[in-house]
Amino acid sequence: MIFRRLFERLAVSAAMSLALFAAPAFAGDPAIAPAASVAAPVTPSRERVRMNQRVFDHIWNEVRREYYDPHLHGVDWNAARRTWRPVALAARDDRTLYRSLRGMLDLLDDEHAGAAPPAVARRQDQLRGRRAAIGLSMRADRDNQDIYVVEEVREGSPAAEAGVGVGWRLIADGVAGWTPEQDVIEGRPVVLALVDADGAARPTVLNPRVMEPRPAFVADRTRPGLLVLKVEAFEQGLGRWMGEQLAGVTPDIDLVLDLRGNPGGRLMEADAVLSCFLPTNRAWATRTSRTGRRVEMRTTGGCGELTAPVANDVAVLVDNQSRSAAELTPAALQEARRAVVVGAPTAGAVLISRETQLPDGGRLTLSRADFVTSGGVRLERRGVKPDVTASGTAEDRRVGRDPVLEAAVAALAGAAPEERALSIRAAPL
């Protein structure tokens, strides 16, 4: 499962963290004339127009042929082409081109349907390798597509050395400095139009340098009687890693699976995670393709080297940026009464999608199938409702507090281990 919103979380840390994940904030308002927001005042070159045309036509045709809903949610796709093709062809750069492409794709009103420009695709390809970085993780503002909010500053990074703080905002309007459509290259200074937490302008120049990647999966054993498994994304190897972490866990250890900010990933890795906690052959979802064919998803028992699911108490942490596989997983555990879900309602973006490469090196992500849980719940637009609601603030992050994790610890402390173990044994197949 690959996910549309490649700009939602902008990570320019050592590993570019989660690369770029697009946001609902980037969704264009269909009521606004596209030319008013993305018209190019400078005439593009002939080569640029030809490439714009190839990219636009590729996307328009693929949506028409491959989108999971053959009726395209009632959208007049021919009318969309007449409206958006001239805008795309007139684009002078990747920023204006991909805004027009997203404007057309937003007509589908689908969190997974989106296009990422070449620079974003390159960051995604280099997700877990050494690369030039500045050390910031940011999230797009929901009300303004030109603003990103700093969520994390990596220790020892150029951003940390420059004094950039959590809660600062990046103005990425294409006028004052760097924007997500541009690469981050070692030795090439990056000019950031930042505004601090007090609203003061803080224009900052950072010099990217090569840093080691941050791991996709982290196990935290610093708290007595607690194992916290932080999963940044459902990437290849997650099931094997989970099996390794759980292999020697004693029954008195509580488990926390942290899926906050997780955009999803591979469907087979979601199955592997569920196999760590649910019996083999347990139904957990049903997928429906464009043709209407339904396939029931059942756990395959692929949790690394584990031969049986663990019986420890489990809490799953989620937030409004937990998407797709990071929603299906807590939903399945919640329906099986196998885990307590703690945090905020998830994004409600769970369609099965797949990426294809565009002629300019960018990427199209498009929904190819629908999903409902084993209980018949369609999570798209609905999301997972936590059993325990909890949230943190930017101030909490600045001082190292984690109210959501604390709420999970409290919930686990009140659990009845024998009842939870019984629910595993008695779970229907």
Side-chain angles (χ1 to χ4, degrees):
M1 218 183 295
I2 308 298
F3 304 94
R4 175 227 178 167
R5 297 293 189 176
L6 294 177
F7 278 153
E8 169 65 16
R9 186 170 179 180
L10 165 58
V12 280
S13 62
M16 292 298 181
S17 189
L18 296 178
L20 297 176
F21 294 90
F26 265 86
D29 183 349
I32 299 176
S37 59
V38 294
V42 178
T43 302
S45 67
R46 182 176 300 177
E47 292 74 18
R48 177 86 225 187
V49 172
R50 281 200 292 263
M51 182 56 71
N52 291 349
Q53 177 178 332
R54 290 181 61 197
V55 172
F56 181 92
D57 290 347
H58 182 111
I59 290 177
W60 188 87
N61 282 304
E62 187 158 341
V63 170
R64 183 183 58 174
R65 294 191 307 263
E66 304 291 338
Y67 191 61
Y68 87 100
D69 177 5
H71 305 293
L72 304 181
H73 299 165
V75 175
D76 185 335
W77 205 233
N78 289 319
R81 185 177 189 273
R82 290 192 296 271
T83 299
W84 287 102
R85 195 171 188 267
V87 182
L89 267 58
R92 67 189 183 278
D93 54 26
D94 286 346
R95 183 172 184 271
T96 48
L97 171 62
Y98 278 82
R99 286 200 172 192
S100 68
L101 297 172
R102 287 193 294 270
M104 180 178 71
L105 291 168
D106 282 340
L107 297 174
L108 297 172
D109 201 18
D110 177 350
E111 291 279 335
H112 290 265
V120 177
R122 284 189 288 271
R123 282 191 281 270
Q124 191 180 29
D125 287 342
Q126 300 166 0
L127 190 60
R128 300 300 169 194
R130 296 177 73 249
R131 73 203 63 204
I134 59 176
L136 289 179
S137 291
M138 295 180 278
R139 193 178 302 282
D141 186 283
R142 288 185 175 275
D143 299 320
N144 189 328
Q145 62 182 345
D146 289 331
I147 295 178
Y148 290 82
V149 179
V150 175
E151 289 206 320
E152 183 182 356
V153 181
R154 183 171 180 180
E155 184 177 353
S157 68
E161 293 165 359
V164 178
V166 172
W168 288 25
R169 291 174 296 147
L170 171 72
I171 310 301
D173 57 7
V175 176
W178 183 86
T179 70
E181 294 83 6
Q182 301 172 25
D183 288 301
V184 175
I185 299 173
E186 183 182 14
R188 181 183 296 176
V190 173
V191 180
L192 301 181
L194 293 167
V195 177
D196 67 20
D198 296 322
R202 293 289 195 97
T204 303
V205 179
L206 300 178
N207 291 296
R209 64 170 178 262
V210 174
M211 299 181 72
E212 294 296 330
R214 300 178 69 171
F217 327 126
V218 176
D220 180 359
R221 294 179 169 84
T222 58
R223 293 169 177 254
L226 188 70
L227 172 58
V228 180
L229 303 172
K230 172 64 177 174
V231 179
E232 294 283 350
F234 283 71
E235 296 181 14
Q236 185 173 358
L238 173 58
R240 181 177 64 255
W241 177 85
M242 288 279 290
E244 292 171 355
Q245 304 308 313
L246 297 175
V249 172
T250 55
D252 59 315
I253 301 296
D254 289 340
L255 306 176
V256 172
L257 180 60
D258 190 349
L259 302 182
R260 289 175 293 178
N262 186 316
R266 294 172 175 259
L267 190 61
M268 64 181 295
E269 298 297 348
D271 177 85
V273 171
L274 290 173
S275 295
C276 297
F277 307 106
L278 298 176
T280 300
N281 204 36
R282 167 72 186 243
W284 59 274
T286 299
R287 59 187 293 178
T288 304
S289 69
R290 176 184 172 98
T291 63
R293 180 172 175 265
R294 293 166 60 88
V295 176
E296 189 175 56
M297 313 298 295
R298 290 178 172 270
T299 52
T300 59
C303 183
E305 299 299 320
L306 288 185
T307 57
V310 297
N312 304 64
D313 289 345
V314 184
V316 184
L317 309 187
V318 296
D319 62 12
N320 62 1
Q321 299 303 320
S322 303
R323 297 173 181 270
S324 237
E327 299 182 81
L328 289 166
T329 300
L333 294 175
Q334 189 180 55
E335 287 189 345
R337 299 178 62 191
R338 181 61 189 91
V340 57
V341 178
V342 180
T346 61
V350 295
L351 298 174
I352 299 178
S353 58
R354 187 176 75 243
E355 289 181 344
T356 54
Q357 188 168 358
L358 297 172
D360 64 347
R363 290 233 177 84
L364 170 67
T365 308
L366 199 63
S367 300
R368 316 288 174 151
D370 202 356
F371 242 127
V372 296
T373 70
S374 60
V377 177
R378 188 173 189 266
L379 294 174
E380 186 71 14
R381 300 187 174 281
R382 172 177 177 148
V384 179
K385 303 301 186 289
D387 302 301
V388 177
T389 301
S391 62
T393 64
E395 177 61 24
D396 290 324
R397 290 193 294 274
R398 276 193 287 266
V399 300
R401 287 193 302 260
D402 193 342
V404 181
L405 177 58
E406 296 300 332
V409 171
L412 289 169
E418 66 280 1
E419 292 180 8
R420 211 170 283 282
L422 178 61
S423 73
I424 301 172
R425 294 192 295 271
L429 300 179

